[in-house]
Amino acid sequence: MSPAPRILAVAVTAALSAAVLSAAIPSAVAAGDPDAAAWERTGRPERLMVIRPGTVALVSRGTVVRRLYPQTGALPLSWLVANAGHDWVARSSGDTSAVRMRSAVLLTPGTTLRIGPDTGKVLFTAGRTAASGTWIRGSRATLDVRDTSLGSVGEDGEEPAAEDAAGRPYLLMGAGGRLDLSRTTVTGFGLPDSGPGLSGFSGVTWGKGSTGSAVGSTFVGNRTGLRLAGSTGVTLSDVTVKGSLEDGVVLNRDAGTSIEGLTSQDNGRNGLSASGTDDRALTGVGTSGNRGSGIKATAQSGLRLTGVTSQGDQGGGIRLVSCAGCTVDTATVHGAPVALAVSGAGSRVAVDEPRFGTGTTGISLAAGISGATVSGGTVQGFERGIAVSGSAVTVRRTVVSDSLTGVSVYGQARQVSLRDVTVRGGRVGVTASDTTSGVALTDVRVSGTTRKGLSSASPGLRVTGGSVSGATTAVDLGASARLDHLTISGARRGLHLAAGVRATGTALDVLAERKGIEVGRDGRMDLTDSRVRAPIALFGPGTVHRAGRTQVTLPPFPWLGFAALLALTLAAGMQTVHQVRHRRTPTPQVASHVRNTA
């Protein structure tokens, strides 16, 4: 073979060997290079900066294309801007304080990345695929962001990136890491689900075993604004979350979380969702305009909500599901369909001094709960003020006003007690259906209802003390009842018993405008030491049995009103006599010499 063909054959063989070697490099690197292995482990992003103590590896599609060597200690983002290159991170041409991130960032143990304040705005590129997106993740590392804004931008320049962009950015700190955001705005973050079993990421997440804080910061238009998933000791202070596609804030299996001033508004689901942690205390949380509930808490015990507020949350103000030994203290809810809903097996809740107004139901205590206590507070302007279908419920010292039905006991409710409750206005004060039992009213005051004060078909109803005034029918009984020391006044009909109903009354005082007591066919009313006063004191085909010092009389004559009427009549008569006596008296004339007649 001549020298030329031999040389050509050697060159071709060498080229083929080089091509084979080049194709094998990524897999070989992935197997032996920790930075390439990190690229594999994090989902194979198109570009990845792996930050280690003293080094920064730039990994492109699995290949380490360059290594940088910053000084030891905390690494500022501005150093990466100056040294990594335009394809990875660079300042915007039109705004020198703005930075464009084109690479994902992985913080390895022992590293710290600082963003701001010299980088006033950082835009993370949202790729068309998850691999082409950008994010910052880490474990046993620190991410410190302050005095800046973080935003997303689509590959087409849209800012923020589209909600369904597969590569929207996110921040995630894992075990042993710390994530702090101070005076920072985060907009358009959060990776959507990419398919069955492939869940996305919230905008900002403190993962299991991580800690940190968000102080004086705002989170706008993220997938889920903030998520604490197994974190420890995270502080949220003066934080606003709004416009999230899903929940505003999610607390799940977190421990030692401190919240001081959290506002969550106009989110696609719940303002704040809490689960998985016992003995949690939430104070100073305000929600408004969320499509779901303002606050939703599920499957936990010992939760304490103090001073929380909700305004116009479309799915309800506060919703507690399977919440055992939980307390809601001085909560304020307005404009929600249901101000407070308690449901789920094992729920046992104490509600202290609520201030609920305007909606469909003020307090809903559903069937299947283990018990509930409502103490004090006001419930105003609902279709149903308090709705009880659960058992072992006590309501005391609460004022219910201007609701179509003040208190409704229905369903399979058992052992329901109302104590020192005031119901004002509306159509019906208190109702109890025929499927309930063990209903007791003590010192309950009902006034100003347009139809009925107390309407009960609950067998064995017991009423002790209290009063009913100003209704068409003060007390309407459709089942057996015992009434003791009850005062009825200002109603057209004081007490009505349906056909076949038997009831007893001791020390009753009934003052009605038309009928005192009306008993239906085969009904019986046993009165002891009572007083009935009405133009028609006793009415109906049923039986009224009187015992002790029971009195049945006409209502008292209104002597004071009669005296006033008599005085007015007398005055009118005297004035008429005076005018008749002086009808021909000439009109006085002023002397002609008088000039000043003022």
Side-chain angles (χ1 to χ4, degrees):
M1 180 180 295
S2 64
R6 185 177 301 163
I7 293 172
L8 179 60
V10 171
V12 170
T13 302
L16 291 173
S17 299
V20 171
L21 179 61
S22 176
I25 284 176
S27 59
V29 170
D33 190 305
D35 297 320
W39 168 82
E40 183 83 27
R41 190 173 60 250
T42 55
R44 299 184 175 186
E46 290 185 2
R47 294 188 183 90
L48 175 66
M49 289 191 285
V50 182
I51 299 178
R52 300 184 183 277
T55 67
V56 177
L58 307 184
V59 184
S60 176
R61 301 182 185 276
T63 301
V64 179
V65 297
R66 188 180 175 194
R67 293 191 190 275
L68 308 175
Y69 299 94
Q71 294 182 351
T72 57
L75 177 65
L77 179 63
S78 57
W79 189 91
L80 292 176
V81 172
N83 294 277
H86 186 271
D87 289 341
W88 300 83
V89 55
R91 293 195 181 275
S92 298
S93 57
D95 184 356
T96 57
S97 66
V99 170
R100 179 76 174 266
M101 289 290 297
R102 294 185 170 90
S103 170
V105 178
L106 178 65
L107 305 178
T108 64
T111 60
T112 297
L113 176 63
R114 289 181 177 167
I115 301 177
D118 53 342
T119 49
K121 183 177 183 180
V122 182
L123 293 176
F124 288 70
T125 301
R128 292 187 174 88
T129 65
S132 63
T134 55
W135 41 259
I136 300 178
R137 294 164 59 174
S139 60
R140 296 190 296 279
T142 298
L143 175 58
D144 185 6
V145 185
R146 62 184 61 223
D147 299 310
T148 189
S149 64
L150 308 181
S152 65
V153 58
E155 291 185 345
D156 57 358
E158 180 184 5
E159 184 183 340
E163 297 175 353
D164 58 352
R168 289 214 331 167
Y170 60 90
L171 305 180
L172 170 63
M173 186 55 67
R178 182 177 187 91
L179 170 59
D180 292 302
L181 300 108
S182 178
R183 299 177 298 279
T184 294
T185 300
V186 180
T187 305
F189 272 40
L191 190 66
D193 297 338
S194 54
L198 300 175
S199 60
F201 291 92
S202 300
V204 179
T205 301
W206 285 264
K208 184 176 181 179
S210 67
T211 189
S213 63
V215 177
S217 297
T218 302
F219 303 83
V220 183
N222 301 305
R223 180 174 181 247
T224 292
L226 301 178
R227 183 182 295 271
L228 279 61
S231 60
T232 302
V234 173
T235 296
L236 305 179
S237 177
D238 190 21
V239 168
T240 298
V241 181
K242 57 185 178 181
S244 304
L245 303 179
E246 299 179 5
D247 292 332
V249 179
V250 174
L251 308 178
N252 183 26
R253 295 178 289 106
D254 56 308
T257 302
S258 173
I259 296 180
E260 300 176 0
L262 170 63
T263 300
S264 186
Q265 60 191 46
D266 301 325
N267 298 293
R269 294 184 183 172
N270 304 304
L272 182 147
S273 179
S275 63
T277 300
D278 294 337
D279 301 319
R280 182 199 306 277
L282 298 176
T283 302
V285 176
T287 65
S288 65
N290 297 289
R291 292 186 181 179
S293 300
I295 297 176
K296 180 181 179 181
T298 59
Q300 57 193 288
S301 64
L303 170 68
R304 186 173 188 90
L305 301 176
T306 303
V308 300
T309 63
S310 166
Q311 178 71 44
D313 290 308
Q314 299 172 30
I318 302 170
R319 183 180 180 189
L320 306 180
V321 181
S322 296
C323 197
C326 299
T327 301
V328 180
D329 189 8
T330 59
T332 301
V333 180
H334 290 279
V338 180
L340 170 64
V342 181
S343 63
S347 284
R348 189 174 63 258
V349 175
V351 183
D352 298 327
E353 301 297 333
R355 294 184 291 272
F356 298 158
T358 312
T360 302
T361 302
I363 301 175
S364 174
L365 306 174
I369 67 173
S370 296
T373 301
V374 180
S375 301
T378 58
V379 179
Q380 182 178 13
F382 293 89
E383 292 181 16
R384 294 189 301 176
I386 301 177
V388 182
S389 61
S391 299
V393 171
T394 298
V395 181
R396 57 193 177 205
R397 302 191 318 277
T398 302
V399 177
V400 183
S401 61
D402 301 326
S403 298
L404 295 181
T405 299
V407 180
S408 175
V409 183
Y410 68 103
Q412 302 299 317
R414 301 286 185 272
Q415 305 305 315
V416 177
S417 175
L418 308 182
R419 298 176 176 271
D420 195 20
V421 172
T422 300
V423 180
R424 301 192 190 106
R427 291 181 185 173
V428 182
V430 179
T431 67
S433 71
D434 59 355
T435 56
T436 64
S437 64
V439 180
L441 281 64
T442 303
D443 294 327
V444 173
R445 297 168 297 279
V446 180
S447 63
T449 57
T450 59
R451 295 181 61 184
K452 299 178 181 180
L454 167 61
S455 177
S456 172
S458 179
L461 171 73
R462 181 149 188 186
V463 179
T464 304
S467 62
V468 181
S469 62
T472 301
T473 298
V475 178
D476 190 6
L477 299 178
S480 61
R482 179 175 175 180
L483 313 176
D484 296 331
H485 298 277
L486 176 65
T487 300
I488 297 173
S489 63
R492 297 181 64 187
R493 180 171 60 177
L495 176 61
H496 173 249
L497 277 65
V501 172
R502 299 176 64 92
T504 62
T506 302
L508 298 185
D509 189 354
V510 179
L511 175 60
E513 297 175 357
R514 293 186 62 186
K515 299 176 183 178
I517 298 177
E518 181 177 352
V519 182
R521 188 176 303 279
D522 298 325
R524 180 183 174 96
M525 182 71 203
D526 293 316
L527 296 175
T528 302
D529 298 330
S530 298
R531 182 169 60 168
V532 181
R533 295 169 293 169
I536 305 174
L538 305 177
F539 184 80
T543 303
V544 177
H545 179 264
R546 291 176 276 181
R549 295 175 292 176
T550 297
Q551 301 176 16
V552 177
T553 65
L554 291 171
F557 190 80
W559 290 108
L560 185 59
F562 176 75
L565 181 61
L566 182 61
L568 288 173
T569 303
L570 182 60
M574 294 178 65
Q575 178 64 21
T576 301
V577 171
H578 173 76
Q579 291 179 346
V580 170
R581 292 180 58 189
H582 294 277
R583 66 182 184 276
R584 296 181 178 176
T585 302
T587 302
Q589 299 294 324
V590 179
S592 59
H593 65 276
V594 176
R595 299 296 183 185
N596 185 3
T597 60

